[in-house]
Amino acid sequence: MTAPKSALSGIQKVLGKSPYQAHAGCCTWLNGVFWIRILATLPNGNLVIENLHDVGKIAIKKVEWVIEPDLVYPLLRGRDVHRWRAEPSAHIILAQDPKTRRGIPESVMVLKYPKTFSYFKQFEGDPKNPEHGALRGRSGYRKYFNPTDPFYSMYNVGPYTMSKWKVLWPEVGHSVRASVCGPTRGKESKPSLPDHTIIVIPCDTAKEAYYVAGMLNSSPAQIAVRSYIVLHPSPHILEHIHIPRFNPENRLHVHLAEISRQCHLNRGPEEMEEQIDRAAARIWRVNLAELRAIQEALSELSGGNPSGEDPDNPGDED
DNA sequence: GCTAATGCACGGAGTTGTGC
DNA sequence: GCACAACTCCGTGCATTAGC
């Protein structure tokens, strides 16, 4: 760990193992098949979709298809998650049972979701000699699944993936840019699913999610993270940053959750972030002098941008 | 307009944990 | 101690930006 000396005493109060567990998002190994754009909704509810054929390194043919809406979820990519903001930019087809951690059996797919199954079928590849760029040829499928498992099975999909309330941050970057993501509003009330470049903490309630995001985005947590990671703020962060379990009876916790919620509504104006820092500092018992030292050190590390947000991606451009 | 530098996301492989 | 399962971590290469 490297950090300015003046900030060390404050940072030490933040360190420790967290009771929360973080997970990577779902891994497809062939995003160009599973990631889609919805072009239209038909009167019977079915969706006209186009695969995001050009998102990945592996060339995929471009396809327009009609599928059932049941297995389509909003997709959060790394670029969709910012500090205090997470907005899905595409959709993903999840033909997976989070409990068995296998794809939905083909026999069920044929009966219940024949259009979605036929969509996948065109990308299946030769079962005996699966080529690169086919679903059966995916490195992960070959490594983790049997040829008898559904050929559209995915990885890193568990109950946490389907959690209604989540705290997320992108795995790529020099800091944690945390945001809360709840169920989508309106007709399509489905959880947004993170891709595998996003780290997820499942939460029971909205308040708990706002509390955890507030703690992670606070200056004490930010500097602790930045003092030891190089590029990938992965789930291991919670092995080092101690975030006490949310207690709805604890007024400090509830207060922090409320400010964090306001930051999400207002995209984190500076005066609110100062309140976040102070509330988080009280929870960690970091005194005011230590907090000031941390904020100054963070400002130096960020080149005068203590929030840790990318200067070219402030998150309030729209 | 071209080249170099930088940032970041995708895809894959290594590591750790668990059960027998 | 071994085999298998689970999943995190990171290298590579593409896209974007900056400098000339």
Side-chain angles (χ1 to χ4, degrees):
Chain A
M1 169 171 281
T2 54
K5 201 175 175 182
S6 58
L8 277 178
S9 68
I11 293 174
Q12 277 166 355
K13 295 179 179 176
V14 174
L15 301 180
K17 191 172 160 58
S18 181
Y20 290 97
Q21 198 183 356
H23 305 268
C26 43
C27 188
T28 71
W29 301 290
L30 203 59
N31 295 335
V33 172
F34 292 88
W35 294 6
I36 57 166
R37 183 180 302 121
I38 297 175
L39 300 176
T41 304
L42 301 177
N44 63 1
N46 285 343
L47 305 172
V48 182
I49 59 129
E50 176 185 83
N51 62 327
L52 300 186
H53 64 101
D54 54 355
V55 293
K57 292 174 185 173
I58 301 172
I60 306 287
K61 65 176 174 180
K62 183 180 175 182
V63 164
E64 256 189 57
W65 213 259
V66 175
I67 64 171
E68 297 85 1
D70 308 65
L71 305 177
V72 175
Y73 294 83
L75 168 70
L76 282 162
R77 304 169 66 181
R79 63 187 65 172
D80 301 334
V81 179
H82 309 275
R83 194 175 158 86
W84 311 121
R85 183 172 63 118
E87 289 169 8
S89 63
H91 286 78
I92 184 170
I93 307 174
L94 182 78
Q96 187 87 357
D97 184 338
K99 287 179 190 155
T100 63
R101 306 185 87 101
R102 290 284 183 278
I104 295 171
E106 291 183 35
S107 56
V108 176
M109 285 292 288
V110 170
L111 281 175
K112 288 185 76 176
Y113 314 112
K115 293 182 168 62
T116 307
F117 182 75
S118 68
Y119 168 78
F120 281 135
K121 195 72 181 167
Q122 66 192 305
F123 296 107
E124 178 181 4
D126 182 354
K128 287 176 187 164
N129 188 23
E131 63 275 26
H132 192 60
L135 289 172
R136 286 189 182 277
R138 293 174 292 160
S139 64
Y141 180 80
R142 283 184 275 126
K143 186 173 177 180
Y144 301 116
F145 295 97
N146 299 316
T148 51
D149 287 323
F151 58 87
Y152 38 80
S153 295
M154 286 161 55
Y155 208 68
N156 273 7
V157 179
Y160 54 87
T161 312
M162 311 306 285
S163 166
K164 242 165 90 174
W165 289 97
K166 306 180 184 80
V167 176
L168 327 129
W169 69 88
E171 190 210 6
V172 181
H174 299 282
S175 63
V176 170
R177 288 127 55 194
S179 176
V180 170
C181 183
T184 48
R185 297 190 194 94
K187 278 193 296 182
E188 189 189 35
S189 183
K190 286 182 171 178
S192 299
L193 307 188
D195 88 10
H196 88 290
T197 62
I198 292 179
I199 311 303
V200 185
I201 304 174
C203 293
D204 293 333
T205 64
K207 272 187 185 171
E208 182 176 25
Y210 283 121
Y211 158 80
V212 174
M215 290 291 271
L216 281 170
N217 280 341
S218 70
S219 294
Q222 289 290 318
I223 195 156
V225 170
R226 292 182 66 133
S227 62
Y228 85 93
I229 66 153
V230 179
L231 180 63
H232 298 283
S234 299
H236 59 72
I237 277 183
L238 296 186
E239 299 290 318
H240 304 286
I241 310 293
H242 176 68
I243 298 175
R245 174 74 65 187
F246 177 68
N247 176 4
E249 308 290 318
N250 186 319
R251 292 169 73 179
L252 281 176
H253 291 193
V254 174
H255 176 59
L256 176 62
E258 177 53 28
I259 311 168
S260 170
R261 193 179 73 85
Q262 291 296 328
C263 279
H264 282 80
L265 292 174
N266 299 295
R267 307 275 166 76
E270 214 167 274
E271 64 271 24
M272 281 195 173
E273 300 214 354
E274 174 64 25
Q275 289 183 49
I276 287 278
D277 281 357
R278 286 179 178 240
R282 286 180 70 188
I283 292 169
W284 274 309
R285 298 183 190 281
V286 171
N287 65 38
L288 206 53
E290 289 168 334
L291 179 60
R292 286 284 165 262
I294 284 171
Q295 288 172 327
E296 280 168 25
L298 191 60
S299 183
E300 278 173 31
L301 282 172
S302 310
N305 176 27
S307 72
E309 178 65 280
D310 301 337
D312 53 343
N313 197 3
D316 58 358
E317 68 275 32
D318 52 350

